[in-house]
Amino acid sequence: MSNCFILLAAGKGKRFKSKTLKQFINYKNKPLFMHSLDKAIKSNLFNEIIIVTNNKIKLRNNKIKIIKGGKERYQSSQKALEFIKNKKFNNVFIHDAARPNFSINLLKKLKKYLNKNKAVVPYINTDNSTKYANKKKVVNLKREKVMLTQTPQCFNFKTLYNLSKINKTLVTDEATLFLNNNKKVKFIKGEEANIKITKKSDLKKYPIKTFYGIGFDIHRLIKNKKLYLGGIKIPFHSGLKGHSDGDVILHSIIDAILGALRKKDIGTLYPSNKNKFKNIRSKKMLKPIISDLENNNFFINNLDINLICERPKVSKYRNKIINSLSKLMSIDKNIINLKGKTVEKLGLIGKENAIACEAIVSINKYE
Ligand code: ZN
């Protein structure tokens, strides 16, 4: 199955009243459109990403193509569909750059429903009493029946392409094309935070929330075992004893993340009495936790680590460990700090019979 993500960023945003177009304004530490783009990339769902814009953007990524938009939204969308018509994509996702707060989970959910449908569209209900102004009078609508539709919306490419080819009228989203032509749309629950940034005051809704977590771990050193720290093998006279590979750095990071999310601890997630986790590499324990973070709009913005041991010397392996952590956690190297701490030859650690580690992580929720 091949999927294409179309990001519509050609709007003029008249209601936004700003010199900088709203899709390029700084929002939660980056240009607004980048939120959607980064999530599309991180989801790993897409073979190609098309950005439709009338502005100059330079991005270095082979998967991304930038094309010029039309005057109206539906024209930009038509142009993008035309651009990819010979690329044989099965599915296409269309998203408005003005909605930066959706989660990767939503993308995955949409994709799942697309297996059995030709159009899948997220919606939310409203808490307001709703009325509809007819030509003659204002009528009351049943609130529970009112659906506010959002993007990303996803479609079987061929079906959408054919509908968009015959359409000549102004439609505000692709779901309308399906409904106007009596074609079925599967509506699924959307996300409250996935608002459309229209006015300047919308920027202040759903501010970034920051969470902190702390983790600590210690393992005994034993002969005839390999030493793993931060996901890599380190040459040493002993390795760390444990149910898994005993990687104290990864274990304290896992606990720090679970702490920030208030999800108990590593022992609850990976009980040591369970055989299936015996000798498991800690990398494997970390992976689902990182995906869970990203899928739910949490992003790590700082990680500080104290590795407490007499030897090996941290300075010798610092860069290697940081590179490994950066890869495993898909975060920038610049937000990781690793400190080495000796204990003046005191106690178990001082006699090189154990290694301990503490980690503190700071995590932003971007919705
Ligand atoms: Zn441990």
Side-chain angles (χ1 to χ4, degrees):
M1 275 295 186
S2 56
N3 307 299
C4 176
F5 186 84
I6 295 173
L7 183 61
L8 300 176
K12 289 204 178 69
K14 284 172 214 132
R15 283 171 286 176
F16 194 70
K17 296 191 180 105
S18 154
K19 267 188 199 157
T20 315
L21 283 173
K22 75 174 170 196
Q23 52 272 38
F24 300 104
I25 207 152
N26 183 46
Y27 177 69
K28 297 179 182 177
N29 307 328
K30 52 188 173 190
L32 196 130
F33 81 98
M34 286 292 291
H35 289 268
S36 304
L37 182 64
D38 285 348
K39 281 182 264 198
I41 295 169
K42 276 214 159 155
S43 73
N44 278 327
L45 287 175
F46 303 105
N47 308 75
E48 192 164 302
I49 295 170
I50 314 287
I51 305 176
V52 189
T53 177
N54 292 321
N55 285 60
K56 279 206 174 104
I57 323 178
K58 268 191 194 144
L59 292 163
R60 251 183 279 154
N61 185 325
N62 294 337
K63 266 191 186 176
I64 302 174
K65 302 272 169 346
I66 298 165
I67 65 165
K68 245 176 129 39
K71 246 188 173 171
E72 299 291 342
R73 182 193 180 282
Y74 79 99
Q75 291 162 332
S76 292
S77 152
Q78 258 174 356
K79 280 191 166 190
L81 293 172
E82 201 59 46
F83 179 76
I84 61 169
K85 73 172 172 190
N86 294 324
K87 298 197 175 191
K88 298 198 170 77
F89 291 118
N90 299 98
N91 307 317
V92 60
F93 284 56
I94 301 195
H95 180 61
D96 295 321
R99 290 185 191 271
N101 291 337
F102 68 93
S103 71
I104 294 177
N105 255 349
L106 181 64
L107 289 178
K108 292 187 173 166
K109 227 166 85 184
L110 288 163
K111 168 78 181 17
K112 201 182 90 197
Y113 279 99
L114 202 54
N115 291 335
K116 287 193 176 155
N117 297 280
K118 294 220 181 322
V120 190
V121 171
Y123 76 96
I124 53 167
N125 291 112
T126 175
D127 295 326
N128 299 309
S129 287
T130 43
K131 313 277 182 285
Y132 181 77
N134 265 334
K135 270 181 193 154
K136 284 180 186 161
K137 60 174 186 173
V138 176
V139 292
N140 196 55
L141 295 178
K142 269 197 177 160
R143 182 168 55 199
E144 316 80 65
K145 299 273 181 194
V146 172
M147 300 161 85
L148 309 177
T149 52
Q150 308 179 322
T151 68
Q153 304 185 346
C154 66
F155 309 92
N156 169 273
F157 173 73
K158 261 192 198 149
T159 318
L160 177 65
Y161 178 75
N162 292 335
L163 289 176
S164 104
K165 266 274 329 150
I166 53 170
N167 176 60
K168 296 276 178 277
T169 56
L170 195 149
V171 290
T172 50
D173 66 355
E174 286 62 37
T176 311
L177 289 177
F178 274 70
L179 298 174
N180 285 351
N181 290 284
N182 296 318
K183 296 225 180 280
K184 195 191 151 215
V185 173
K186 171 77 183 168
F187 289 99
I188 66 166
K189 264 268 169 239
E191 295 171 334
E192 293 287 335
N194 185 17
I195 54 165
K196 189 168 181 185
I197 305 285
T198 311
K199 307 175 296 298
K200 275 203 178 128
S201 57
D202 294 333
L203 297 172
K204 293 203 178 84
K205 292 175 184 165
Y206 299 99
I208 299 175
K209 285 187 208 145
T210 307
F211 302 89
Y212 305 96
I214 181 170
F216 174 80
D217 196 29
I218 182 163
H219 283 260
R220 208 176 263 281
L221 281 162
I222 51 165
K223 294 272 175 219
N224 303 319
K225 210 179 165 187
K226 287 171 189 152
L227 176 65
Y228 287 99
L229 290 174
I232 52 167
K233 209 163 68 183
I234 307 271
F236 200 50
H237 58 66
S238 307
L240 292 167
K241 188 184 174 199
H243 193 65
S244 63
D245 62 11
D247 191 325
V248 284
I249 295 186
L250 294 190
H251 293 181
S252 38
I253 290 173
I254 290 174
D255 258 352
I257 296 174
L258 293 175
L261 302 185
R262 286 151 295 172
K263 286 194 168 171
K264 297 186 184 150
D265 55 37
I266 190 170
T268 313
L269 214 60
Y270 299 103
S272 55
N273 56 9
K274 285 254 166 72
N275 254 338
K276 74 168 173 178
F277 300 130
K278 202 169 163 45
N279 293 325
I280 186 176
R281 284 293 308 276
S282 303
K283 287 200 240 191
K284 277 200 174 157
M285 299 159 81
L286 179 65
K287 206 172 172 204
I289 295 167
I290 297 296
S291 321
D292 195 45
L293 274 182
E294 289 173 349
N295 287 343
N296 290 293
N297 263 342
F298 287 97
F299 299 95
I300 294 170
N301 67 44
N302 200 61
L303 171 62
D304 188 24
I305 306 157
N306 282 341
L307 184 65
I308 309 160
C309 58
E310 217 59 47
R311 275 193 314 151
K313 281 278 162 260
V314 170
S315 53
K316 197 170 163 193
Y317 300 102
R318 180 177 283 122
N319 289 343
K320 271 192 181 160
I321 293 176
I322 289 179
N323 280 339
S324 158
L325 293 176
S326 152
K327 265 197 206 124
L328 292 175
M329 303 172 72
S330 47
I331 56 175
D332 204 284
K333 278 186 268 186
N334 301 326
I335 62 170
I336 309 172
N337 190 57
L338 172 63
K339 309 198 285 296
K341 191 95 196 107
T342 64
V343 290
E344 306 275 333
K345 304 220 156 46
L346 291 167
L348 266 183
I349 296 175
K351 293 189 176 61
E352 291 185 23
N353 288 321
I355 293 180
C357 184
E358 356 177 67
I360 284 191
V361 71
S362 147
I363 301 178
N364 278 344
K365 178 142 210 226
Y366 274 29
E367 53 95 82

